[in-house]
Amino acid sequence: MEEEDVLQECKAQNRKLLFWKFDLNNTSHIDQLLDREGVTLRELMEEEDVLQECKAQNRKLLLFLSKDHCMLELVTLITEEPPSDLEEKTRFKFPNIACELLTSDVALINDKLGGDESLLEKLYHFLEQEPPLNPLLASFFSKTIGNLIARKTDQVISFLRKKHNFISLVLNHIDASAMMDLLLRLISCVEPAPLRMEVLNWLNEERLIQRLTELMHTGRDEERQSNASQTLCDIIRLSRDQANQLSEVTEPDPLLAVLESQENVAELLKNMFEGERTEASVVNGTQVLLTLLESRRSGLEGLMDLYSQGCERSYTVNSSILRAIEPHLKDFQQLLLNPPMRSAILTTVGVLEQPLGSARLHVARLVASLLQTCDLSICQEICRLNTMDLLLDLFFKYTWNNFLHLQVELCVASILNHSAHADLQNPGLQNHEERPLFQHCQLVQRILDAWEENDKIQAEGGRRRGNMGHLTRIANTVVQNLEKGLAHSQMNDLIKELPEDCRGRWESFVGDTLRETNRRNTVDLAFSDYQIQQMTANFVDQFGFNDEEFSEHDENINAAFDRIAEINFNIDANSAAFEACCKERIQQFDDCEEEEDIWDEKEINYATQIKFTKLKRGLKFCRLDPSFLLLLFIFLFFAVAGSGSATGVWERSPGQKAPLVASGSSSSGGSDSEEDPGENKTESSPKTPANQTTAPSR
């Protein structure tokens, strides 16, 4: 208690110092009001700086606010509906200010509110109303109680535990999102650890998890289902995070133990599929299952983890969760075949008569997560049900749903990357009676057919399909596993069993079409990466320079050039592609001759005889992005230096012009001159050029 008082006093002194620093030490109007007899709380709340003065520990104000009648009025404001005849924009003005005052983290107010049981009873009475609660008042109530849980933990927890219907009342109002926040504060904001464990055991005795799971039933209100689902997901993540953060071994979290139990997961699945299957119940229930199965980062980052780590580093999911899900895989399969009905929707590419829907998308996410667990029984059942065949059908049917495409890609990657793991002989690749991925699903044929169909559409002037990027990645995954995957021998045997015409098409596709696509994507992505990357503080060090080499070198202009020569930059491999990319982007500005030249005011000196007119316009297009300029400079340097011998003597083939070397001037720029500066051969040592030629400047 003494430490808290000292901390509050320090905060007050700091605020007073700020007032003096900015000459704000004039007596406030609030002090003048407080000196007047008969001043009311409403009059003080009308003042604009009442919150500032409260947080600044204005002693006179705090003593007034902590009076019994003022505290009661503040609590009343946040728990009772304001008169309905007030103007709407000002109706909740005073309740909002009252909430801010009560949660201003001032010790005197916290002590008064947390130590007065009559005030706590007044707050608690708010929960005893019939639903629905006013959402704004519910947020004020939740914020106030949450602040007390964090600041006056012992008193508030003791008070709430005496209320045997507390959890029932909170769940009765779970349609208000503020009640979710209140439950999460009870789980995450209680300190120290022993008291937190007491609270968790109390909540477990109240069967909090089972009651939230019951709210997931298909017959429940959708808002209640959604909030119950979100609460369960947050409890799972919070419990796991806190368990990971604890350095010492403690008893297991009772709430998490119930959530991961086979009985509770089975009850959740029963509630999802019992009665009429609605999209809301499927989506909300599947979100809880996905959270229970969470093992790594989702999305593209998770995909990269999957590619790089394989099955051996997968997170071990509690087997009870998997055993509860396995009997219901057939129910999820039926959702893929017969999803909840949805009306047609208008998209940017036209009317979609039968949308994919959130239910089927969540089933795809669930299948991807299950495959990543590497559980043999689960994978066998998925293969037996032919789930992958259905997902591939959806992949090629809904060509513009990239959310679905990513999940199917994750499924394929899981099957291919995990196929030969010591603990999992994947039936999708080795058990021919279980409709393997390459035979029954005809993955190779589907890739080839879809690619040829897309080429035909584009040749007729149509738009490239939206799933082609993910299809490229799937094809690359197949090729990589054929060449050096753990099961490459089995996969090559499966490829050999394909019809002869299909094998020929595949070999041609891999050797020509896919190779060219990868080359083009690599150049485009590299160009984009250099455009969008941020110039962070350590960028220079990472790239190979240091601060000194970016300073002006009056004595030796070649210092920076010498350092560049040490960079391992393979220009031969991608020089033609890079030139084509730059040319394509730069030529977009050929019709902008009248545009003001940003180089007009500068003296221009050059180190090459490249024709810079189009290059300048390309730099304008890039808005002189530093990282792009640096890349382009290195490219030009090596393009020129690459023709020199090891001794630094510039050589040229017939018709090739000798490069120019920069003069001592520190300025650089571009020239509009299209004339050739000359064809004299220039010789230089590795350090200092023997002949320096200056490009025409203007």
Side-chain angles (χ1 to χ4, degrees):
M1 185 64 188
E2 293 179 358
E3 293 180 358
E4 185 175 354
D5 291 339
V6 171
L7 180 61
Q8 297 293 348
E9 183 63 25
C10 289
K11 290 181 179 179
Q13 293 299 327
N14 286 335
R15 294 187 180 99
K16 291 178 181 178
L17 287 175
L18 287 176
F19 291 151
W20 281 101
K21 179 178 178 181
F22 294 102
D23 196 24
L24 297 174
N25 56 322
N26 294 326
T27 303
S28 70
H29 189 242
I30 286 183
D31 286 336
Q32 298 175 10
L33 282 175
L34 290 169
D35 289 336
R36 196 183 71 193
E37 288 189 15
V39 64
T40 64
L41 177 62
R42 293 294 181 104
E43 289 179 299
L44 289 172
M45 295 174 70
E46 288 282 4
E47 296 297 315
E48 294 181 356
D49 58 346
V50 63
L51 292 177
Q52 178 182 335
E53 289 290 320
C54 179
K55 294 179 180 180
Q57 303 284 322
N58 185 319
R59 188 69 179 175
K60 190 182 298 185
L61 175 62
L62 294 181
L63 289 174
F64 180 85
L65 293 177
S66 59
K67 291 181 178 179
D68 290 344
H69 73 278
C70 289
M71 292 296 296
L72 180 61
E73 186 174 354
L74 289 173
V75 172
T76 302
L77 283 170
I78 67 169
T79 55
E80 295 183 4
E81 286 268 357
S84 57
D85 57 349
L86 294 178
E87 189 177 358
E88 192 62 32
K89 66 179 181 180
T90 60
R91 189 170 173 231
F92 289 95
K93 173 185 175 181
F94 290 116
N96 180 57
I97 296 174
C99 177
E100 293 299 318
L101 289 171
L102 290 172
T103 60
S104 57
D105 202 16
V106 175
L108 189 59
I109 294 178
N110 289 339
D111 292 343
K112 182 66 176 179
L113 186 57
D116 190 330
E117 191 158 323
S118 64
L119 294 176
L120 292 177
E121 288 286 355
K122 179 69 175 179
L123 274 171
Y124 186 81
H125 180 67
F126 178 76
L127 289 175
E128 296 175 337
Q129 303 178 56
E130 289 297 321
L133 297 175
N134 182 293
L136 198 53
L137 292 180
S139 68
F140 296 155
F141 167 82
S142 176
K143 185 176 181 180
T144 303
I145 289 287
N147 179 70
L148 290 175
I149 291 173
R151 299 303 180 194
K152 308 299 294 183
T153 308
D154 290 328
Q155 296 94 318
V156 175
I157 295 299
S158 176
F159 172 81
L160 293 177
R161 293 187 66 174
K162 295 176 184 176
K163 301 294 183 180
H164 301 295
N165 62 344
F166 171 67
I167 298 298
S168 299
L169 291 175
V170 171
L171 295 180
N172 191 40
H173 298 296
I174 198 66
D175 54 322
S177 59
M179 296 300 108
M180 296 167 42
D181 298 334
L182 178 56
L183 287 174
L184 295 177
R185 283 184 176 274
L186 277 172
I187 295 171
S188 62
C189 295
V190 175
E191 296 291 344
L195 180 57
R196 176 179 177 272
M197 188 56 64
E198 285 185 23
V199 172
L200 294 179
N201 286 324
W202 165 51
L203 294 175
N204 189 42
E205 291 168 4
E206 293 288 333
R207 304 184 76 254
L208 173 64
I209 300 302
Q210 293 90 333
R211 293 159 83 171
L212 283 169
T213 302
E214 185 182 346
L215 292 174
M216 305 288 295
H217 195 278
T218 55
R220 296 284 185 172
D221 175 73
E222 289 189 9
E223 193 68 28
R224 290 176 177 272
Q225 286 186 38
S226 178
N227 287 349
S229 170
Q230 188 61 52
T231 304
L232 289 172
C233 292
D234 289 340
I235 291 174
I236 295 169
R237 295 191 180 103
L238 279 172
S239 299
R240 287 177 175 173
D241 288 345
Q242 291 186 338
N244 292 333
Q245 292 170 4
L246 292 176
S247 56
E248 56 186 26
V249 179
T250 59
E251 56 182 303
D253 187 318
L255 299 183
L256 183 60
V258 173
L259 276 164
E260 293 181 337
S261 67
Q262 185 170 346
E263 295 78 12
N264 192 74
V265 177
E267 185 65 23
L268 171 64
L269 288 159
K270 176 185 175 183
N271 292 335
M272 288 171 57
F273 293 112
E274 194 172 64
E276 182 182 358
R277 299 178 183 179
T278 63
E279 185 167 86
S281 64
V282 171
V283 169
N284 293 321
T286 306
Q287 284 178 340
V288 178
L289 297 176
L290 288 170
T291 307
L292 287 169
L293 294 172
E294 275 182 0
S295 59
R296 54 170 64 91
R297 291 171 293 181
S298 59
L300 291 176
E301 291 181 338
L303 182 60
M304 296 308 297
D305 287 346
L306 178 62
Y307 285 146
S308 61
Q309 298 174 5
C311 186
E312 63 274 9
R313 290 187 61 185
S314 292
Y315 169 79
T316 302
V317 177
N318 192 322
S319 61
S320 61
I321 301 172
L322 300 176
R323 301 289 72 82
I325 293 176
E326 187 175 347
H328 290 274
L329 286 175
K330 61 181 184 299
D331 296 316
F332 289 105
Q333 176 89 346
Q334 284 300 312
L335 285 172
L336 294 176
L337 293 169
N338 301 301
M341 293 298 297
R342 290 178 62 95
S343 57
I345 60 174
L346 179 64
T347 71
T348 55
V349 292
V351 177
L352 197 58
E353 294 295 340
Q354 186 182 10
L356 175 71
S358 295
R360 286 194 286 185
L361 178 60
H362 276 72
V363 172
R365 292 179 60 194
L366 180 63
V367 173
S369 294
L370 289 171
L371 287 172
Q372 289 178 37
T373 64
C374 303
D375 184 84
L376 176 60
S377 181
I378 289 287
C379 292
Q380 286 177 334
E381 182 66 10
I382 289 175
C383 193
R384 187 188 69 79
L385 293 170
N386 202 23
T387 304
M388 276 306 304
D389 198 29
L390 288 176
L391 289 176
L392 286 170
D393 287 341
L394 296 175
F395 179 94
F396 292 108
K397 177 179 179 180
Y398 295 96
T399 57
W400 298 102
N401 195 318
N402 289 153
F403 299 106
L404 171 67
H405 303 156
L406 174 60
Q407 300 308 318
V408 176
E409 182 188 348
L410 284 167
C411 291
V412 174
S414 295
I415 292 174
L416 297 182
N417 285 306
H418 300 165
S419 58
H421 188 261
D423 297 329
L424 174 60
Q425 297 299 317
N426 194 302
L429 294 175
Q430 298 184 10
N431 192 335
H432 291 258
E433 296 179 358
E434 299 294 336
R435 311 167 192 173
L437 181 66
F438 280 86
Q439 291 188 341
H440 187 83
C441 296
Q442 298 184 329
L443 178 63
V444 170
Q445 293 93 322
R446 288 183 190 237
I447 292 173
L448 295 172
D449 292 344
W451 206 286
E452 291 169 0
E453 187 175 352
N454 178 75
D455 287 346
K456 181 180 178 181
I457 291 174
Q458 287 192 275
E460 296 173 353
R463 182 183 302 176
R464 183 175 183 265
R465 285 182 167 178
N467 60 357
M468 293 305 294
H470 288 281
L471 191 63
T472 302
R473 293 163 65 100
I474 291 175
N476 281 324
T477 304
V478 174
V479 172
Q480 290 164 10
N481 281 272
L482 282 170
E483 293 177 351
K484 55 184 179 181
L486 295 174
H488 66 277
S489 58
Q490 297 97 320
M491 290 179 62
N492 277 286
D493 291 341
L494 291 172
I495 293 295
K496 292 176 183 178
E497 294 177 7
L498 295 175
E500 185 176 349
D501 63 326
C502 184
R503 286 202 314 273
R505 290 168 60 202
W506 174 253
E507 292 171 359
S508 175
F509 168 76
V510 173
D512 299 327
T513 307
L514 185 60
R515 184 185 301 274
E516 172 61 21
T517 300
N518 288 335
R519 185 199 64 79
R520 186 171 60 250
N521 288 345
T522 300
V523 173
D524 289 344
L525 289 174
F527 188 86
S528 299
D529 287 343
Y530 274 97
Q531 280 189 303
I532 66 175
Q533 68 176 321
Q534 295 181 355
M535 295 290 288
T536 56
N538 61 345
F539 172 81
V540 174
D541 293 333
Q542 292 176 343
F543 203 85
F545 291 90
N546 57 52
D547 293 339
E548 294 179 358
E549 291 165 81
F550 274 93
S551 60
E552 294 186 5
H553 296 274
D554 295 332
E555 297 180 359
N556 183 9
I557 189 65
N558 295 298
F561 289 84
D562 297 339
R563 183 67 180 88
I564 292 175
E566 298 173 14
I567 299 175
N568 183 13
F569 192 90
N570 185 3
I571 196 65
D572 296 330
N574 293 311
S575 59
F578 186 84
E579 288 183 23
C581 184
C582 290
K583 182 178 179 181
E584 177 184 351
R585 294 176 182 270
I586 292 170
Q587 283 181 343
Q588 299 175 14
F589 293 85
D590 282 346
D591 58 348
C592 300
E593 295 291 347
E594 71 283 356
E595 185 178 340
E596 181 183 355
D597 195 334
I598 62 174
W599 304 87
D600 281 345
E601 299 295 328
K602 298 183 179 180
E603 180 181 355
I604 303 168
N605 294 288
Y606 281 131
T608 77
Q609 62 180 37
I610 302 295
K611 296 179 180 180
F612 282 94
T613 303
K614 293 180 180 179
L615 178 60
K616 287 192 311 173
R617 301 186 187 116
L619 297 180
K620 293 178 190 176
F621 165 67
C622 296
R623 293 295 186 268
L624 300 180
D625 178 72
S627 54
F628 174 76
L629 290 175
L630 189 55
L631 172 67
L632 187 58
F633 171 74
I634 293 174
F635 171 78
L636 294 175
F637 178 83
F638 277 90
V640 174
S643 62
S645 65
T647 61
V649 178
W650 296 104
E651 300 175 355
R652 62 175 178 176
S653 58
Q656 180 183 3
K657 300 176 183 179
L660 300 178
V661 182
S663 69
S665 172
S666 61
S667 62
S668 61
S671 172
D672 286 335
S673 173
E674 297 289 342
E675 297 178 3
D676 295 331
E679 295 190 276
N680 296 326
K681 181 184 292 186
T682 304
E683 297 182 359
S684 65
S685 68
K687 294 292 183 181
T688 306
N691 299 314
Q692 294 186 349
T693 308
T694 303
S697 60
R698 51 188 178 86

